[in-house]
Amino acid sequence: MLGDGSRGERPATFRRAEAARLLHDMQIEPLGVQLASNIADLCAAPCDARLAELVDDLRHRIAFELGLVLPPVRFTVEPGLLPNAYRIVVDGASAGEAIAPAGHVMIVGSDDVDGDAIHAAEPVFGLPVTWVPAVQASTDATASIVTREQAIVAHLGEVARQHAPALLTRDGVAALVDAVR
């Protein structure tokens, strides 16, 4: 009898379960966001609720703008990323990278920033921005304050628009057809 474990083999049921787990782990999601280990708090409560709400709003906007039902977005922790970094992936390939430092907010349109600031480029438009600790955020009326979650979702939206043809799946088309029937 094959796979009964009598000759040091794993039982067939164990091999099937192991194979199913391996296939699940190998599955490439159509759209995902990989987070550096030090910003994994974005996937933990209460941040994950805010992030989920923003992604849900984005999915609705994309549906109305492009007629595209975005696939679910999978957020994972990628230990190989540099601290504070995140990467947006489409079908397993990198489609955009930026930073979203823990405990910071992004300031757009203000040069008057002191203290523990991180200067970077805004990922969607390439504008110069400054990440400052949230407790130090300016109340300057000319500056826009953007949370990490908002910055990531705005970047995700731009990537989704740029890669819309690749994200249009059979299931998405079926959902659209069913919705108009």
Side-chain angles (χ1 to χ4, degrees):
M1 182 171 179
L2 293 176
D4 64 0
S6 61
R7 292 178 290 191
E9 299 172 351
R10 296 181 189 170
T13 54
F14 180 79
R15 286 194 312 262
R16 280 192 292 272
E18 183 179 29
R21 192 171 37 257
L22 180 62
L23 286 174
H24 178 268
D25 291 346
M26 289 175 43
Q27 183 177 1
I28 295 175
E29 299 293 332
L31 189 58
V33 178
Q34 300 172 338
L35 305 170
S37 299
N38 75 314
I39 61 169
D41 65 297
L42 287 165
C43 293
C47 293
D48 65 334
R50 286 193 304 269
L51 193 57
E53 184 178 325
L54 289 170
V55 169
D56 191 45
D57 289 346
L58 172 67
R59 294 180 83 219
H60 283 86
R61 279 195 315 275
I62 296 291
F64 284 108
E65 287 175 25
L66 303 178
L68 169 67
V69 178
L70 282 181
V73 180
R74 183 177 184 188
F75 284 81
T76 58
V77 176
E78 178 58 47
L81 286 175
L82 293 174
N84 300 320
Y86 69 89
R87 176 185 302 135
I88 298 173
V89 293
V90 175
D91 290 328
S94 177
E97 292 186 30
I99 62 168
H104 287 62
V105 293
M106 184 171 68
I107 305 292
V108 183
S110 177
D111 296 328
D112 186 27
V113 179
D114 297 325
D116 187 21
I118 301 169
H119 300 282
E122 191 272 337
V124 176
F125 302 108
L127 299 171
V129 298
T130 305
W131 288 92
V132 299
V135 297
Q136 181 183 320
S138 168
T139 56
D140 181 357
T142 62
S144 296
I145 298 174
V146 180
T147 67
R148 296 182 307 149
E149 296 89 351
Q150 291 169 327
I152 291 172
V153 172
H155 192 185
L156 180 64
E158 186 59 27
V159 168
R161 287 175 186 89
Q162 291 172 356
H163 291 85
L167 295 171
L168 185 61
T169 63
R170 284 185 180 175
D171 291 340
V173 171
L176 289 172
V177 170
D178 288 343
V180 294
R181 281 188 185 171

